[in-house]
Amino acid sequence: MDKAIAVENITVLGATGSIGVSTLDVCARHPERYRLFALTANSSVVELAAQVAQHKPRYAVLRDPQAAAQLVTLLKEQGLHDTEVLSGDEGLNAVASHVEVDTVMAAIVGAAGLAPTMVAVESGKKVLLANKEALVMAGGLFMEAVKKSGSVLLPIDSEHNAIFQCMPSQSQQGQGSHPLAASGIRKILLTGSGGPFRQTPLEQLATVTPDQACAHPNWSMGRKISVDSATMMNKGLEFIEACWLFNAQPEDIEIVIHPQSIIHSMVEYVDGSVLAQLGNPDMRTPIAHALAWPERIASGVASLDIITTATLDFEAPDYQRFPCLELAVQAVKTGKTAMVVLNAANEVAVEAFLNQQIRFTDIPVIIRSVLASAQLVEPSTLAVVQLADQQARDLAQQQVANRACA
Ligand code: NAD
Ligand code: MG
């Protein structure tokens, strides 16, 4: 006889995004296990209304109050009276910490995800972390809060989820404080595809368009992370994320280019064993893994056809082609608020590139310049982190304005 499983109430922060939609897909495959309790978005009224109609959550939250008012009207018109609409940061925080919520999927993009994700951690929820920027900005405070509240933190980023899967249970349960050496781990091999411009002639990078940058060869993702993948800042942010999640030092992690995105990362042990996690590049695998951990559930992902895959290639990263990678690795070594500044300047530069205000190759130039002029302090509280974030954004905006006029 099947063991009875209590239904888990889930809040999805960023439900209308790429990770959010995949999360809803996996949860809907297992209605006996998961109930979508709250769905949130920034301002996507129509998309959120459609999700409410399908999943009937208790709460729907739009951060933008005007959009939330429109959602109220739309839900009324459609006769959807059972979902309560909330708005603003208070709305996000309320569903991240609601007493009936068991699990929070943190899938807001960028620094905007930090505060509600922290609230979920402080409330002791199981937190499925896609929002890597939260960890990049406030990794120390974040991991401290995890320990204090007893929250369970599970990585959704495919590489970190792979590394987690390749680790023994004492490391999995160590929540970022178990020493790698105590598990016999020699190093972490963090893989990345190299994105759409891995082989583009260097002189063409200055003229690539946002659509070209967002056309990732293997993954379908939101536009910000797609540009980060094209600059390889995404791998840089993931390098920082891995340091916090796995209690690793920069020298414990090797970045490896693996263009096929079939191996999602590896862990090497002192006896020479290298464990890898493989699968089709579909985020529903890490999402299903983290939702059900330590059990396994179906995700809807097609079986890996290893024969057709045939070839797995590996190469060293090209730091000249991808200066953002070096800036990120350097920011970990610099410490203090360097990672906050790196992340903030990157967010501003990526948005400016997507809005066609600056060139693709301006992104690392702006980040480097902001890092050189920002005052670095110890990120001792969330308020300090948020102030450093704002100051770095202001500096980056000035740089964008200078370049846009040039
Ligand atoms: P996306 O742009 O597709 O979706 C972002 C979601 O966040 C949307 O629901 C949007 O409404 C919401 N949002 C945006 N700004 C907000 C704000 N200011 N306040 C509240 N909500 C806001 O992004 P995505 O690709 O799903 O990525 C989400 C996060 O997951 C990112 O941190 C990304 O780095 C990480 N991630 C994504 C993938 C992927 O395959 N897409 C893989 C690994 C990690
Ligand atoms: Mg990733």
Side-chain angles (χ1 to χ4, degrees), residues 190-195 198 227-240 250 253-258 315-333 342 346 360 363-365 367-368 371:
L190 179 68
T191 57
S193 69
R198 186 174 60 91
V227 176
D228 283 350
S229 299
T231 60
M232 283 201 80
M233 178 56 92
N234 184 49
K235 211 48 53 186
L237 299 178
E238 290 182 357
F239 185 88
I240 300 170
I253 306 173
E254 182 179 345
I255 297 172
V256 180
I257 303 296
H258 164 47
E315 57 194 59
D318 178 346
Y319 287 94
Q320 193 200 343
R321 176 178 293 274
F322 299 114
C324 284
L325 204 48
E326 183 127 52
L327 289 172
V329 173
Q330 193 49 49
V332 192
K333 294 182 179 165
L342 174 96
N346 181 56
F360 182 75
I363 296 172
V365 176
I367 300 168
R368 183 177 290 115
L371 273 165

Side-chain angles (χ1 to χ4, degrees), residues 98-400:
H98 194 287
V99 66
E100 288 180 52
V101 168
D102 303 290
T103 300
V104 175
M105 164 59 81
I108 291 175
V109 60
L114 174 59
T117 306
M118 255 320 221
V119 166
V121 168
E122 285 165 355
S123 314
K125 306 300 182 196
K126 179 159 100 183
V127 174
L128 314 186
L129 187 72
N131 179 218
K132 66 191 86 186
E133 296 90 345
L135 215 46
V136 168
M137 292 174 73
L141 296 169
F142 201 91
M143 298 311 290
E144 234 173 72
V146 167
K147 238 185 272 168
K148 201 165 153 202
S149 70
S151 161
V152 172
L153 185 65
L154 293 160
I156 293 298
D157 218 340
S158 57
E159 295 77 4
H160 305 73
N161 184 270
I163 293 162
F164 183 90
Q165 292 198 46
C166 294
M167 284 186 166
S169 66
Q170 70 266 26
S171 292
Q172 292 182 341
Q173 278 153 10
Q175 298 276 332
S177 56
H178 192 75
L180 291 176
S183 290
I185 293 170
R186 186 187 279 155
K187 69 175 171 185
I188 290 169
L189 295 120
L190 179 68
T191 57
S193 69
F197 304 139
R198 186 174 60 91
Q199 294 176 313
T200 304
L202 285 180
E203 63 278 9
Q204 288 178 18
L205 290 180
T207 54
V208 297
T209 65
D211 283 346
Q212 287 171 323
C214 289
H216 196 281
N218 307 330
W219 297 95
S220 155
M221 311 181 282
R223 282 172 81 77
K224 190 263 178 183
I225 183 177
S226 295
V227 176
D228 283 350
S229 299
T231 60
M232 283 201 80
M233 178 56 92
N234 184 49
K235 211 48 53 186
L237 299 178
E238 290 182 357
F239 185 88
I240 300 170
E241 187 185 9
C243 287
W244 290 117
L245 280 174
F246 304 118
N247 192 19
Q249 297 300 314
E251 53 278 14
D252 297 327
I253 306 173
E254 182 179 345
I255 297 172
V256 180
I257 303 296
H258 164 47
Q260 292 89 1
S261 301
I262 293 297
I263 290 182
H264 300 303
S265 278
M266 298 173 262
V267 174
E268 181 182 323
Y269 288 83
V270 286
D271 61 6
S273 300
V274 179
L275 303 192
Q277 186 259 0
L278 287 73
N280 285 319
D282 185 323
M283 290 306 292
R284 289 177 301 174
T285 294
I287 291 167
H289 169 267
L291 272 170
W293 181 81
E295 295 175 16
R296 296 270 179 179
I297 55 169
S299 64
V301 175
S303 182
L304 175 65
D305 185 344
I306 198 85
I307 305 289
T308 308
T309 304
T311 311
L312 299 178
D313 295 309
F314 304 96
E315 57 194 59
D318 178 346
Y319 287 94
Q320 193 200 343
R321 176 178 293 274
F322 299 114
C324 284
L325 204 48
E326 183 127 52
L327 289 172
V329 173
Q330 193 49 49
V332 192
K333 294 182 179 165
T334 305
K336 294 191 173 176
T337 41
M339 291 169 269
V340 182
V341 173
L342 174 96
N343 181 67
N346 181 56
E347 285 191 27
V348 170
V350 169
E351 197 181 332
F353 168 67
L354 284 170
N355 293 334
Q356 296 181 303
Q357 292 169 280
I358 60 165
R359 290 172 302 191
F360 182 75
T361 43
D362 288 334
I363 296 172
V365 176
I366 290 176
I367 300 168
R368 183 177 290 115
S369 153
V370 173
L371 273 165
S373 54
Q375 289 229 346
L376 302 182
V377 294
E378 281 305 328
S380 49
T381 65
L382 212 51
V384 171
V385 167
Q386 279 159 342
L387 182 63
D389 174 75
Q390 193 50 56
Q391 289 171 340
R393 276 169 202 275
D394 293 345
L395 289 170
Q397 289 294 3
Q398 286 168 19
Q399 293 279 332
V400 167

